[in-house]
Amino acid sequence: MLPLLRFAPSPTGRLHLGNARTALVNWLFARHHGGRLILRLDDTDRERSTAAFAAGIEDDLRWLGLDWDAHYRQSERGAVYAAAFARLQAGGAVYPAYETADELQAKRAAQRAKGLPPVYDRAALQLGPAERSALEAKGRQPHWRFRLSGASVGWSDLVQGDIVVPGGSLSDPILRKADGGWTYTLASVVDDVDLAVSHIIRGDDHRTNTAVQVELFRALGAEQPAFAHLPLLTGPGGAPLSKRSGDGSVHDYREQGIEPHAIRLVLASIGTDRQAAPETSLEDLVETFDLARFGRTSAVLDPDALTRISAAVFQSLPLEVVKQQSGLADLTVAEWRVLQQNARTPGELRAWHRLLREPLAPVIEDRALLETAADLLPEPLPDAETAAAWLDAVKQATGAKGRALMHPIRLALTARDDGPKLADLLPLLGRERALRRLRGETA
Ligand code: GLU
């Protein structure tokens, strides 16, 4: 049977790199094995989920080049959850509980104060029918918990190896809220059963959820899927990801001009034996994908490496793609060849391009040298060789060399300290514009 995977983001925020990595690994797994990928929006949290976040996540996934074969929203599948819940109820697998959120919080705080794990004490199981009626008469609606077996739960994880979660560390999960809404735990397992998901690949922060969910799969009479828990992304040195270490949303990286392929390369390589190499294509990533290459322990994101790889990916794009990405429809092949070494992002390319095509106020450092340079400027100025010969002539005439020669000319022509070789830039700038800038005119 071909594998069926799902990526299941909650639309309660933007897609972060950690989620993007989960999405990518699921996508690569599905594509490598010729399987299918479901995008499932886990929007059971009605207060925090928004249509705008959902649209943003989908847009970021498309930008990353990740597509899906089917799409579901948990908010539209209430009937499926109700039917599954009725079966659990009929089988005595769930029980009503009446504690308020504040009461539950107080219980957990008291347990922690005693050094105990904050596990639900099952007080609701002690309530008799009369007590329940009394609570309901006071207007308390029950929420419903799934009764765990209490035994340890184990599975053979495709990334972490054999895992055992002690039964005593797990709380009976709430499946239905007091307002009648379904929780993620119920919706997720019922969906995974109903849609016949074969592999669940997600972050290691879901390990405890998996233990609970394994019991729920059993209670629903379903076979459990294979599980793989990826170690969570950290910043350099194992520090939690922070804004500074590059925990921007995918959208942030996109705005900064980071290449989607660079994100794919880095996220497919982190925590594996693979080196992110700019020349690796997406097809290569699919072909060589193997979950066994993912290690159990660390997954470190180096934001500088991401920036470096992104620059290398951008600089090797063909002209047609660059035109599209940068919005520079009239970028010429000659311009791209020269500017490519100095532009790491579409934004930087646009800045260089503006400098060639739009008026600029030159910075004048050594007026005498620039006068001589202007007087010697050849007519015509067709290529880099002519420009190099001219620089040589200015050197002979002024006695200036090295930085003393190049820096004033560069500042006059570009108003910048750095950039492509002057001999390469000059023909792109054109004689007229170069001459006026050397003379200190805005041109
Ligand atoms: N909505 C959950 C999350 O974003 C999905 C977890 C899962 O894959 O089941 O963490």
Side-chain angles (χ1 to χ4, degrees):
M1 261 237 308
L2 292 175
L4 180 66
L5 287 101
R6 89 297 196 280
F7 173 56
S10 303
T12 54
R14 286 197 185 279
L15 189 73
H16 274 248
L17 275 195
N19 314 122
R21 176 166 174 257
T22 303
L24 175 70
V25 176
N26 276 284
W27 185 88
L28 287 171
F29 190 103
R31 297 292 172 255
H32 176 85
H33 294 282
R36 285 159 41 85
L37 176 68
I38 289 172
L39 174 64
R40 186 183 84 197
L41 294 171
D42 283 1
D43 54 355
T44 49
D45 184 339
R46 292 183 216 158
E47 267 144 46
R48 293 172 56 229
S49 300
T50 71
F53 282 137
I57 289 170
E58 290 180 18
D59 194 42
D60 286 342
L61 289 172
R62 279 193 211 96
W63 177 75
L64 283 170
L66 306 181
D67 54 358
W68 49 90
D69 307 298
H71 181 287
Y72 297 93
R73 259 174 233 283
Q74 293 192 323
S75 55
E76 291 169 357
R77 291 174 53 77
V80 186
Y81 308 142
F85 182 77
R87 272 168 50 217
L88 292 169
Q89 213 170 9
V94 293
Y95 62 92
Y98 295 82
E99 293 91 343
T100 62
D102 287 346
E103 285 165 0
L104 290 171
Q105 204 182 347
K107 281 190 189 202
R108 286 193 292 267
Q111 285 165 314
R112 281 203 197 90
K114 285 191 224 146
L116 299 170
V119 172
Y120 179 59
D121 61 9
R122 291 183 161 170
L125 277 177
Q126 310 306 321
L127 298 175
E131 286 159 304
R132 288 206 290 267
S133 306
L135 283 164
E136 284 177 28
K138 279 200 292 182
R140 288 250 183 138
Q141 288 302 314
H143 52 270
W144 291 79
R145 287 185 185 263
F146 171 60
R147 189 170 180 170
L148 294 171
S149 69
S152 296
V153 182
W155 69 94
S156 174
D157 196 277
L158 297 179
V159 169
Q160 305 288 339
D162 286 338
I163 291 187
V164 177
V165 178
S169 67
L170 302 172
S171 287
D172 291 344
I174 298 174
L175 300 189
R176 183 169 212 180
K177 303 176 212 170
D179 66 3
W182 307 106
T183 61
Y184 153 75
T185 303
L186 179 85
S188 181
V189 174
V190 172
D191 282 341
D192 291 334
V193 173
D194 189 58
L195 306 172
V197 168
S198 64
H199 293 74
I200 296 183
I201 305 176
R202 56 189 175 191
D204 206 16
D205 51 340
H206 284 288
R207 211 185 257 234
T208 310
N209 283 342
T210 298
V212 166
Q213 292 175 12
V214 162
E215 291 218 348
L216 198 47
F217 277 104
R218 280 186 210 142
L220 288 166
E223 210 175 301
Q224 84 194 41
F227 289 99
H229 291 82
L230 299 170
L232 299 185
L233 280 190
T234 69
L241 281 181
S242 63
K243 266 258 176 301
R244 212 214 71 76
S245 63
D247 179 31
S249 61
V250 168
H251 188 262
D252 280 349
Y253 287 102
R254 190 171 165 178
E255 301 266 279
Q256 285 168 32
I258 295 290
E259 285 296 311
H261 189 52
I263 296 184
R264 296 195 294 250
L265 288 171
V266 167
L267 294 182
S269 310
I270 283 175
T272 73
D273 61 348
R274 183 197 289 282
Q275 291 296 319
E279 55 281 3
T280 306
S281 68
L282 184 57
E283 292 71 33
D284 291 338
L285 287 182
V286 170
E287 204 169 298
T288 58
F289 177 83
D290 184 354
L291 206 48
R293 296 176 78 160
F294 285 78
R296 301 180 185 188
T297 45
S298 73
V300 181
L301 175 82
D302 175 355
D304 297 335
L306 178 58
T307 310
R308 243 185 353 261
I309 290 163
S310 180
V313 168
F314 181 63
Q315 287 161 349
S316 61
L317 290 177
L319 179 68
E320 287 313 311
V321 180
V322 173
K323 281 182 174 182
Q324 207 187 337
Q325 282 206 9
S326 58
L328 297 171
D330 59 349
L331 182 73
T332 66
V333 70
E335 286 171 331
W336 177 229
R337 239 181 243 141
V338 171
L339 300 182
Q340 131 187 94
Q341 293 315 314
N342 289 80
R344 292 165 301 177
T345 61
E348 289 185 2
L349 178 63
R350 282 193 293 274
W352 279 111
H353 193 252
R354 259 200 308 280
L355 189 148
L356 293 179
R357 305 275 191 103
E358 287 172 28
L360 163 151
V363 175
I364 301 304
E365 206 183 58
D366 182 340
R367 194 168 289 278
L369 180 138
L370 294 173
E371 287 291 335
T372 309
D375 291 344
L376 290 172
L377 200 63
E379 165 90 80
L381 182 47
D383 49 35
E385 289 71 44
T386 316
W390 166 70
L391 286 168
D392 218 37
V394 180
K395 178 176 164 185
Q396 302 300 329
T398 60
K401 52 185 185 216
R403 189 178 155 84
L405 171 69
M406 298 299 188
H407 195 244
I409 296 180
R410 182 177 289 287
L411 281 179
L413 294 179
T414 69
R416 290 183 59 150
D417 273 322
D418 59 349
K421 278 179 29 201
L422 285 177
D424 290 336
L425 267 182
L426 269 149
L428 298 181
L429 211 48
R431 183 175 193 278
E432 205 43 43
R433 181 157 265 158
L435 186 65
R436 294 184 59 193
R437 288 185 186 175
L438 289 168
R439 296 214 157 119
E441 296 166 30
T442 295

